[in-house]
Amino acid sequence: MHRYRKLLKLAVQNPQLAAYKAKITYKNNIVAKQDFKKNTGTARPPLCVCIKLTNACNLRCKMCGQPREGHKEGDAKYAPLSFFQQIVESQDYANLIRELAPHRPNIYLWGGEPFMYKDIFDLVRTIKDHKMTCQINTNGMYLKKYAQEIMDSGIDDLIISIDGPQEVHDEVRGLKGTFHLVKTGIQMIQQMKKKRGVKKPIIRVRGTISPWNFEYIHSLIDISEDLGANSLNFNWTWFTTKETGTAHQNLMKHLFDTDAQSWIPYEMDVIMDKEKREKFDGIKHELQKIYNNNSSLPISMSPFLKPDQVDDYYSNIRETFGHKDCFSIYTKSYILPNGDVTPCPDFPDFIAGNILEKPFLDIWNGERYRNWRLEIKKRGLFPICYRCCDLFLSDVGFV
């Protein structure tokens, strides 16, 4: 009952966003499974369209597998300068929003760092003008700079990454002073919300559980409460192994004639070295403290692991904790900074089409997308799926 009171409290903060969450929960549990069973590969219009506004980022986070600026050719995270300069113009996104408007999906903006996209507030206003919810996933570095625009644009939900106390957060993010800047930005927005007498945007703290903050995750409860956050979400590290990545690469070449190399920066066999394993008792202790917390804050975890499952998560990559099929590909889709449409957020090797060449909904149920759904259904999961965020985000557990 205590858990449901927490969720009700969160729903009151933004009823429109709560309605979307209820819809996507229903679709994940019922409608997506109906589409899955049809054996046609088709899906009803998505409930969430995730737009990656830019590949550029102003941080170099240790656990992030995305290509980053400044790496030399040959490094796992190297990409040419043109990769970080890719953008879709705001008028093209406006066309997309008008196309999607009759179906009212949630629009999720991310990156890289989404606030580095020059026309982000024009896009948010277009989304809100068409009565859709808008979420932004950010590292928080631009919250102070754009606090006024954030408040004026009508953003529903800010998902802000924090890794632990100041020293831990700054170390993980690769830059001193990041924690202070994020904290200041959140406080400014909270003050402006209070002054205006409004509840939006909802402030959600997201902590990624990684080898660099294993022993500090419980502290995020106090940090989130101190910042006046509306909720706290924990994600486990998304990673793969060389064996799994190679198997996926070979399968993608065989099925789709695609050279799937996006897994390479996410390879973390090192996560299982002796030094990191010695911290497992620490993470189990921290988890137990989280589960026993008395906070009124809604706290969720994806995947929802018990302390005795931590070893399996890192050492047995084929263990998916009951998630044997991917329903996300029937409920959401991703658009990359060059307009490409892909089913997968972190491993976007398979491209189903491009919104600059064809309407999104034609791509969503086009031949390539249908073939992808049918192949992944036939095989259960592809090798890269075992530690993909979307496999677990469709079934988030609350503490």
Side-chain angles (χ1 to χ4, degrees), residues 20-38:
Y20 156 71
K21 291 292 186 184
K23 275 170 50 179
I24 202 163
T25 299
Y26 169 77
K27 187 158 186 178
N28 281 329
N29 291 318
I30 298 176
V31 180
K33 293 179 181 179
Q34 292 172 349
D35 288 344
F36 178 83
K37 290 177 181 178
K38 286 189 299 188

Side-chain angles (χ1 to χ4, degrees), residues 327-346:
F327 299 112
S328 174
I329 53 178
Y330 294 86
T331 62
K332 65 168 68 170
S333 189
Y334 291 83
I335 299 173
L336 302 179
N338 63 352
D340 282 346
V341 178
T342 179
C344 297
D346 291 322

Side-chain angles (χ1 to χ4, degrees), residues 2 12 33 41-42 78 86 90 94 101 107 121 133 157 190 231 241 247 276 288 296 298-299 322 328 331 360-361 366:
H2 182 52
V12 169
K33 293 179 181 179
T42 58
Y78 169 80
Q86 293 175 351
S90 58
I107 305 298
F121 295 109
T133 53
D157 189 10
Q190 298 288 37
S231 69
T241 64
K276 299 295 187 295
Q288 200 59 59
S296 62
I299 302 172
S328 174
T331 62
F360 170 83
L361 292 172

Side-chain angles (χ1 to χ4, degrees), residues 98 112 156 398:
R98 283 191 288 270
D156 291 277
F398 280 85

Side-chain angles (χ1 to χ4, degrees), residues 165 168 209-219 278-283 285-286 289:
V168 175
I209 302 172
S210 74
W212 297 277
N213 70 347
F214 268 175
E215 298 166 299
Y216 303 95
I217 59 171
H218 179 262
S219 66
E278 287 174 352
K279 292 188 176 183
F280 275 14
D281 285 343
I283 182 59
H285 179 65
E286 287 286 289
K289 285 163 63 178

Side-chain angles (χ1 to χ4, degrees), residues 76-90:
K77 294 185 183 182
Y78 169 80
L81 182 61
S82 57
F83 177 78
F84 303 105
Q85 295 173 335
Q86 293 175 351
I87 62 164
V88 171
E89 297 295 340
S90 58

